[in-house]
Amino acid sequence: MHDRAFLVKHLRRFPLFSAVDETKLVKLIGRLRPRQVCASEPVFLQGTDGDELFLIVSGMIRIVLEPAGAREVTLAMLTAGDFFGEMSLLDGKPRSAAAYAVEDCELLSLLRSDFFEVMNGSPESIRRLLALLSGRLRQTNDRLQSVSLLSVRQRLAGLLCDLARTRGHSENGRGILLPKDVNHPSLAKILSTSRETVTRELAELRAQDLVAQEGRRIRILHVEGLEALLGRQDSAS
Ligand code: CMP
């Protein structure tokens, strides 16, 4: 839970609201509702009705498609400063995907009417919203491209590099330690592959001294080595 002064200071850091004028911003603060979500809990499920937009103050959210009888597909991993849940607000349709907390999250939610009030009369805010949505579409396109062009090993290497950068703990001379929740099942979910495949591919990366397994945690030993794999097309899929 944060006080008003904290929110005033931090709201401007959300790219979505960086162009909103001061008066509207102050008004907005009174309308934001804090919500805490524990690791692995859903914020909402795919197909449910939704009239709230969520801003991430801290933690990480996984956006996932959960088709009945088929393997789930991770669409995006969102972190502090990101927002989600805007699609149902904009088109009035059910949630297009589910949102789960990867780690304990602090969120702020905003009702549709309040969101529209903020955007109303601010072409610059609308332009920024469109730019942010375009960025999301680009990322989805990149992901689709990598699924069709890269092997599982290469995608795993790319994901480990991203995680090293965003969530890793750098230890002098000992590489980068990833958090506990980055395990074989969670990597498999993000890559939309099986846990067995992740275990097999990690064993290969270990054999190449690129990563190490320490109990349940993964240590990245050689980020550049993982990045180099991304340029190769010869690894197993
Ligand atoms: P909404 O449809 O309301 O609920 C699910 C949310 O997931 C959606 O709004 C977006 O905020 C987010 N979302 C859906 N598809 C993607 C995607 N391809 N990339 C990133 N976020 C997405």
Side-chain angles (χ1 to χ4, degrees), residues 4 22 46 62 65 76 113 116 128 136 146 160 191 195 204 214 224:
R4 192 183 164 105
E22 200 70 30
Q46 185 177 348
R62 194 165 68 95
L65 292 175
S113 50
F116 284 164
R128 289 200 188 185
R136 233 167 233 191
S146 79
L160 292 173
L191 295 171
R195 187 184 54 73
E204 272 303 320
E214 290 185 7
E224 295 77 15

Side-chain angles (χ1 to χ4, degrees), residues 44 63 75-76 84-89 94-97 136 140:
F44 53 69
I63 301 292
L75 293 173
F84 60 97
E86 78 293 345
M87 288 170 62
S88 291
L89 288 201
R95 297 295 191 194
S96 59
R136 233 167 233 191
T140 302

Side-chain angles (χ1 to χ4, degrees), residues 13-231:
R13 296 195 186 157
F14 287 95
L16 182 61
F17 296 136
S18 54
V20 173
D21 69 54
E22 200 70 30
T23 325
K24 274 192 178 163
L25 209 58
V26 169
K27 217 177 186 182
L28 177 68
I29 284 156
R31 315 257 176 102
L32 289 166
R33 295 185 296 189
R35 177 160 164 200
Q36 318 260 348
V37 190
C38 296
S40 332
E41 278 183 5
V43 181
F44 53 69
L45 297 177
Q46 185 177 348
T48 53
D49 288 335
D51 62 355
E52 278 173 301
L53 168 95
F54 294 90
L55 301 165
I56 306 176
V57 177
S58 66
M60 180 176 267
I61 292 286
R62 194 165 68 95
I63 301 292
V64 55
L65 292 175
E66 300 178 303
R71 189 176 281 157
E72 64 178 48
V73 178
T74 298
L75 293 173
M77 305 290 279
L78 306 176
T79 53
D82 287 331
F83 63 92
F84 60 97
E86 78 293 345
M87 288 170 62
S88 291
L89 288 201
L90 294 169
D91 65 13
K93 293 188 176 159
R95 297 295 191 194
S96 59
Y100 287 92
V102 175
E103 51 195 30
D104 291 352
C105 286
E106 285 183 289
L107 307 175
L108 292 169
S109 76
L110 186 62
L111 287 171
R112 175 187 276 115
S113 50
D114 295 325
F115 177 63
F116 284 164
E117 196 180 320
V118 172
M119 291 289 148
N120 214 0
S122 174
E124 182 51 26
S125 295
I126 291 169
R127 197 196 60 75
R128 289 200 188 185
L129 172 65
L130 292 174
L132 291 165
L133 295 181
S134 300
R136 233 167 233 191
L137 193 53
R138 274 180 200 280
Q139 278 174 1
T140 302
N141 292 354
D142 287 348
R143 198 174 273 257
L144 275 177
Q145 183 164 291
S146 79
V147 167
S148 61
L149 292 182
L150 302 180
S151 67
V152 173
R153 191 172 310 162
Q154 288 172 310
R155 291 196 291 127
L156 176 61
L159 176 59
L160 292 173
C161 290
D162 287 348
L163 289 167
R165 191 169 32 80
T166 55
R167 303 189 60 213
H169 176 69
S170 196
E171 293 179 334
N172 269 350
R174 298 191 58 221
I176 301 168
L177 194 60
L178 298 182
K180 272 197 207 108
D181 62 87
V182 178
N183 48 35
H184 299 202
S186 68
L187 290 169
K189 278 184 179 175
I190 298 171
L191 295 171
S192 299
T193 188
S194 66
R195 187 184 54 73
E196 292 75 15
T197 303
V198 167
T199 301
R200 190 184 69 223
E201 295 301 335
L202 275 173
E204 272 303 320
L205 298 181
R206 278 207 312 276
Q208 294 175 38
D209 288 330
L210 297 174
V211 303
Q213 187 79 44
E214 290 185 7
R216 302 183 71 170
R217 295 179 77 168
I218 296 170
R219 185 183 291 280
I220 311 287
L221 299 175
H222 195 6
V223 176
E224 295 77 15
L226 289 174
E227 280 167 351
L229 274 185
L230 290 169

